[in-house]
């Protein structure tokens, strides 16, 4: 059997774990906050044009640190999505295998 009944305990634990939602929420929140951080920094600039203020803001350590946090949150979010998809695939393989076994038993 490709996926054992014991494997299903791990699969169900992953599918029932809500920490993936927390990672996704953190990623979406930080990503949405990016424009706010940029606007705040642009407001601190003494440059005359909007382009110069934006360039100055994007060069600031605070903005770079924010982008690093967004990147880390995205990494956790995508890792969790991949883990969830893998668990869901194992569940589907298990279900299909068991359905095939039941069908073969009916033919006997």
């Amino acid at each position: 059997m490709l996926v054992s009944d014991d494997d299903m305990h791990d699969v169900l634990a992953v599918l029932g774990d809500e920490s993936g939602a927390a990672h996704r929420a953190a990623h979406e929140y930080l990503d949405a906050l990016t424009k706010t951080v940029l606007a705040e920094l642009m407001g601190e600039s003494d440059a005359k044009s909007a382009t110069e203020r934006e360039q100055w803001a994007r060069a600031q350590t605070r903005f770079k640190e924010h982008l690093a946090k967004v990147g880390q949150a995205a990494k956790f979010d995508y890792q969790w999505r991949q883990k969830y998809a893998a668990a869901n695939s194992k569940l589907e393989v298990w279900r299909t295998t068991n359905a095939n076994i039941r069908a073969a038993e009916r033919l006997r």
Side-chain angles (χ1 to χ4, degrees), residues 98-108:
N98 282 297
N100 290 343
I101 290 169
R102 287 191 303 276
E105 288 174 355
R106 277 181 269 174
L107 294 176
R108 290 183 191 172

Side-chain angles (χ1 to χ4, degrees), residues 7-92:
D7 291 336
M8 290 312 300
H9 294 291
D10 296 334
V11 165
L12 293 175
V14 169
L15 296 178
D17 190 343
E18 295 181 4
S19 61
H23 289 301
R24 186 162 193 179
H27 174 214
E28 289 177 0
Y29 171 76
L30 287 171
D31 193 41
L33 190 62
T34 300
K35 288 182 180 180
T36 303
V37 172
L38 184 61
E40 289 173 350
L41 287 169
M42 286 175 69
E44 295 174 10
S45 173
D46 294 331
K48 296 197 187 293
S49 75
T51 302
E52 289 174 329
R53 287 192 303 271
E54 183 175 342
Q55 288 174 342
W56 180 87
R58 288 183 181 276
Q60 299 307 301
T61 302
R62 179 174 162 209
F63 189 72
K64 291 176 183 178
E65 288 172 350
H66 171 76
L67 290 181
K69 289 178 187 176
V70 173
Q72 189 65 26
K75 179 181 176 183
F76 289 140
D77 179 18
Y78 290 121
Q79 283 175 334
W80 189 260
R81 289 185 200 197
Q82 185 175 354
K83 186 176 182 178
Y84 186 89
N88 201 37
S89 295
K90 283 184 181 181
L91 173 64
E92 291 304 317

